Amino acid sequence: MPRLIKDGAVCEDGWLGPDPATAPDATDRICTLEQWQALADKGGSAVQLEPGDDPAAIYDALDDLALVAINFPAFTDGRGFSYARDLRERGYRGELRAVGHFIRDQMSYLGRVGFNAFQPTDDSGLDAALASLGDFSESYQAAIDQPEPLFRRRC
């Protein structure tokens, strides 16, 4: 069973990855956006957004989603950062998972924009990756994880 980092701990993944060839009725499978849109009952479902997908397609169902996975096909593709921030600002409180080819150096920033789960392509270095979430003890800028900038917190 694949492993990931979720809420600050390494754990087993209970979700099956998206499969465009599988019917989107399984409750333990992450759906592609197209499959998710075809679901009659979206309660407790999971969807994976790809670069180029419009996150607005899921805005009306944010309270129904158990998991939103955002795929990073390459560590140089930063659209997932914007998708995550946008979903958190719109009130999504469920699991927000970064999936794919991001690098350990990006994990602190991924957490700042709202990701609380991380599933890299290679799960062999999860313990070291977990440690990188604490690389910085303080942030100057406001973000999803700390809405107040440092100068306001010092007053």
Side-chain angles (χ1 to χ4, degrees), residues 62 82 84-93 113 143-144:
L62 292 180
S82 300
R85 188 204 72 228
D86 188 37
L87 291 171
R88 290 297 190 202
E89 286 178 346
R90 291 179 183 279
Y92 181 64
R93 298 285 173 242
V113 297
I144 295 299

Side-chain angles (χ1 to χ4, degrees), residues 112-113 141-148:
R112 300 235 39 230
V113 297
Q141 302 87 357
I144 295 299
D145 69 336
Q146 177 52 262
E148 293 277 322

Side-chain angles (χ1 to χ4, degrees), residues 54-110:
D54 186 2
I58 65 172
Y59 289 166
D60 291 337
L62 292 180
D63 292 336
D64 297 329
L65 287 164
L67 164 67
V68 176
I70 299 178
N71 187 29
F72 288 82
F75 78 92
T76 57
D77 191 334
R79 290 176 279 188
F81 286 87
S82 300
Y83 290 1
R85 188 204 72 228
D86 188 37
L87 291 171
R88 290 297 190 202
E89 286 178 346
R90 291 179 183 279
Y92 181 64
R93 298 285 173 242
E95 180 180 340
L96 188 56
R97 182 185 297 185
V99 176
H101 296 279
F102 53 89
I103 58 175
R104 192 174 143 192
D105 291 350
Q106 294 173 314
M107 288 183 60
S108 176
Y109 303 111
L110 289 165

Side-chain angles (χ1 to χ4, degrees), residues 6-89:
K6 181 178 175 184
D7 297 325
V10 175
C11 60
E12 301 273 330
D13 183 15
W15 291 93
L16 298 171
D19 181 2
T22 303
D25 59 354
T27 57
D28 61 346
R29 179 166 301 279
I30 301 170
C31 297
T32 65
L33 181 59
E34 294 78 24
Q35 289 173 327
W36 180 83
Q37 289 172 321
L39 288 176
D41 179 16
K42 293 177 175 43
S45 62
V47 63
Q48 180 165 306
L49 297 176
E50 299 291 334
D53 284 347
D54 186 2
I58 65 172
Y59 289 166
D60 291 337
L62 292 180
D63 292 336
D64 297 329
L65 287 164
L67 164 67
V68 176
I70 299 178
N71 187 29
F72 288 82
F75 78 92
T76 57
D77 191 334
R79 290 176 279 188
F81 286 87
S82 300
Y83 290 1
R85 188 204 72 228
D86 188 37
L87 291 171
R88 290 297 190 202
E89 286 178 346

Side-chain angles (χ1 to χ4, degrees), residues 120-141:
T121 304
D122 178 13
D123 70 355
S124 63
L126 286 180
D127 292 320
L130 178 60
S132 70
L133 288 173
D135 281 350
F136 303 103
S137 60
E138 196 63 70
S139 300
Y140 292 111
Q141 302 87 357

